Amino acid sequence: MRSYLRKLGLLAVCWLLLSCVWTGEVVAAPAVHPPAVFSSPLMPPRAVSRPFTAPAHPYGPGHRGVDLPGAVGEPVLAAADGVVAFAGVVVGREVVSVQHRGGLRTTYEPVTPEVVTGAWVRRGEPIGRLAAGNPGCAAAACLHWGLRRGKEYLDPLVALHRPRVRLLPVPDGWSTVG
């Protein structure tokens, strides 16, 4: 039985390779892109009025973003290059979300959109105007800025402050050979 399965598998691989040769189709490896470069969605950058608080579990309480104080009508900027994934109303609030490289998605609310779903935006380009109505914020207007990778919520400030990696010398006495 094993011999039969092995021959069947070999036959399937040969068929795939031959079909690529006959049709001239070549499957390319996915392009590797450097991580997106982020900047503040409000200029000049602001102090955070309410920080990110990760929930203990997917449906638990938490603050899934940061609140940045601003002024009603102030431009809200794309934090990084990407494609507008959504621009519209969610539960009575205007929201814009942008999909970035590396599976990251930023969300901005309350924002009156000046972009449409599917539009390409560059970092620093206006995507809308800050609206009033962020509960829990002492200012007249606060931008709630969120960041997700898939279904996991992340602190968007981490995207602004990428760590600098540097190599340190190996201390004397450490063996580099196992």
Side-chain angles (χ1 to χ4, degrees):
M1 182 68 172
R2 258 193 231 168
S3 173
Y4 174 75
L5 291 176
R6 186 177 295 148
K7 288 177 185 175
L8 187 61
L10 185 58
L11 182 62
V13 168
C14 289
W15 179 80
L16 271 171
L17 288 174
L18 286 175
S19 67
C20 287
V21 170
W22 282 334
T23 63
E25 292 181 31
V26 177
V27 178
V32 176
H33 298 286
V37 176
F38 284 80
S39 61
S40 177
L42 295 178
M43 285 297 168
R46 319 288 155 86
V48 172
S49 66
R50 185 171 173 203
F52 174 82
T53 306
H57 52 84
Y59 302 103
H63 191 240
R64 293 164 172 83
V66 296
D67 290 346
L68 305 171
V72 173
E74 171 176 7
V76 176
L77 314 173
D81 295 351
V83 175
V84 177
F86 180 81
V89 178
V90 176
V91 192
R93 296 181 63 157
E94 291 182 300
V95 176
V96 176
S97 67
V98 179
Q99 186 69 42
H100 309 284
R101 290 189 301 218
L104 296 174
R105 179 176 291 198
T106 50
T107 56
Y108 311 82
E109 62 177 284
V111 173
T112 303
E114 294 181 346
V115 291
V116 296
T117 300
W120 173 259
V121 292
R122 292 222 171 272
R123 178 172 56 104
E125 186 175 292
I127 57 172
R129 300 266 170 195
L130 186 58
N134 186 342
C137 181
C142 267
L143 175 68
H144 178 81
W145 180 36
L147 176 66
R148 281 186 3 210
R149 178 180 289 122
K151 293 185 179 193
E152 179 186 10
Y153 288 90
L154 307 168
D155 184 346
L157 298 180
V158 171
L160 293 178
H161 309 289
R162 293 177 35 188
R164 221 176 98 212
V165 177
R166 57 190 177 118
L167 299 175
L168 299 174
V170 177
D172 290 338
W174 279 27
S175 172
T176 57
V177 180

